[in-house]
Amino acid sequence: MEITQLAQGKSVSVIDCRCTAGPGDAPYPESHARHAIAYVRKGSFTCHARGESFELVAGSVMVGRPGDEYMCTHDHHQCGDECLAFHFAPEFVEALGRGDAAWRAGGVAPLPGLMVLGELAQAAAEGRHDIGVDEIAMLFAARYTELVAGRKRTPAGTAARDRRRAVDVARWLEAHSHEPLDLDAAAGEAGLSAFHFLRVFARVLGVTPHQYLVRSRLRHAARLLADEDRPVTEVAYEVGFGDLSNFVRTFHRAAGVSPGQFRRAARGDRKIFQERLAARA
């Protein structure tokens, strides 16, 4: 495991985690020292926590409270994973005012409102934009608790073969999200009937194949908006949206700001994020 400290402050710290473990490596128990959220930006792994197993793919998050034990396994792939981990002080968590429920989640399926912020956090972590990675970490936590507090998860309860199929297809959707894909194409990749695949995928990953496809497109859009100056229309078509108005509407619903505002925030306009945080006060 490669660990790089990106930010260290009283309220929040940010760590870049790169794991190369594979199926042949023995897992070991770990525990969270602080309230933590890890955004999975690449690869996949299984998180075993709170008596459940969570299949985490690109865009998912792993969550924990101080003292919570967890164990990560990499039974599906050799490539390991990469995460951006945010650790928060108790005072900051208390200030969020959302209670403890969200921090008991263990693992959370890819949510559009988190994926776009995760990509912005990655851009900040790499120093490509004038944004503090600690600031994005706080916004990420605020958005996470806003979206997840009170949500209930249904345990997967599926065979190991089906869990692997779901993860494999999620990785395939991530790699081909810019292409025109449908349920039949994804089911064909899994070697299952469309109806059976739909049930397996949703049960394992907590989202439908189409939801994951759209959210992967949003992730790539956020990256392009943060990194490049190409027109919003071009970004929309590049990542797989066939209609500009649909892209703008979907992006705004996910991020809470328009693609143009998101780009300005990525260029250092902190007022946009300040207004979002102030609205929660």
Side-chain angles (χ1 to χ4, degrees):
M1 173 80 77
E2 287 183 33
I3 301 292
T4 303
Q5 186 85 46
L6 301 176
Q8 178 66 61
K10 182 178 179 180
S11 297
V12 59
S13 62
V14 183
I15 299 173
D16 181 283
C17 305
R18 300 177 184 233
C19 179
T20 58
D25 295 293
Y28 53 89
E30 303 175 75
S31 63
H32 295 287
R34 307 174 88 184
H35 288 83
I37 303 175
Y39 171 69
V40 184
R41 66 172 187 262
K42 185 178 181 181
S44 64
F45 62 97
T46 306
C47 173
H48 307 274
R50 307 186 64 80
E52 297 185 57
S53 295
F54 305 87
E55 300 295 344
L56 304 182
V57 294
S60 303
V61 296
M62 184 176 76
V63 187
R65 305 175 306 153
D68 281 356
E69 292 191 353
Y70 65 96
M71 187 166 63
C72 298
T73 58
H74 297 76
D75 299 329
H76 302 312
H77 299 280
Q78 298 282 351
C79 65
D81 61 88
E82 297 180 10
C83 297
L84 204 57
F86 310 126
H87 296 165
F88 304 98
E91 296 78 12
F92 174 76
V93 174
E94 184 178 352
L96 288 176
R98 290 282 179 173
D100 195 49
W103 300 95
R104 296 175 178 269
V108 177
L111 298 175
L114 298 181
M115 296 170 85
V116 293
L117 289 178
E119 292 307 310
L120 187 58
Q122 182 59 30
E126 295 175 359
R128 290 181 277 128
H129 297 290
D130 183 26
I131 307 174
V133 68
D134 53 346
E135 295 174 331
I136 300 301
M138 290 183 181
L139 185 66
F140 193 102
R143 185 64 168 153
Y144 165 77
T145 55
E146 178 181 283
L147 292 173
V148 177
R151 290 169 62 103
K152 293 184 178 180
R153 176 184 183 273
T154 302
T158 51
R161 181 179 62 177
D162 283 341
R163 294 172 73 88
R164 175 159 190 160
R165 278 173 167 162
V167 172
D168 283 344
V169 176
R171 294 168 63 88
W172 179 79
L173 288 171
E174 170 73 13
H176 297 273
S177 60
H178 59 286
E179 301 173 11
L181 302 175
D182 58 18
L183 180 61
D184 287 332
E189 186 69 18
L192 298 172
S193 70
F195 181 59
H196 182 47
F197 169 69
L198 175 61
R199 290 188 300 173
V200 167
F201 193 95
R203 194 179 301 129
V204 172
L205 296 180
V207 292
T208 69
H210 182 70
Q211 286 175 319
Y212 187 72
L213 175 63
V214 171
R215 294 170 191 190
S216 293
R217 288 170 176 167
L218 288 172
R219 284 184 68 236
H220 295 307
R223 194 175 307 156
L224 290 176
L225 289 169
D227 291 348
E228 302 183 13
D229 293 321
R230 67 175 76 183
V232 171
T233 300
E234 187 176 329
V235 169
Y237 293 137
E238 172 74 16
V239 301
F241 282 90
D243 178 79
L244 176 61
S245 62
N246 181 42
F247 168 66
V248 172
R249 188 168 55 250
T250 303
F251 193 95
H252 193 287
R253 187 166 57 243
V257 295
S258 69
Q261 288 175 312
F262 184 86
R263 168 171 280 162
R264 291 200 299 275
R267 298 294 190 269
D269 186 351
R270 289 176 169 80
K271 182 179 179 181
I272 294 171
F273 291 144
Q274 290 167 353
E275 290 174 348
R276 289 293 309 279
L277 290 172
R280 293 175 49 85

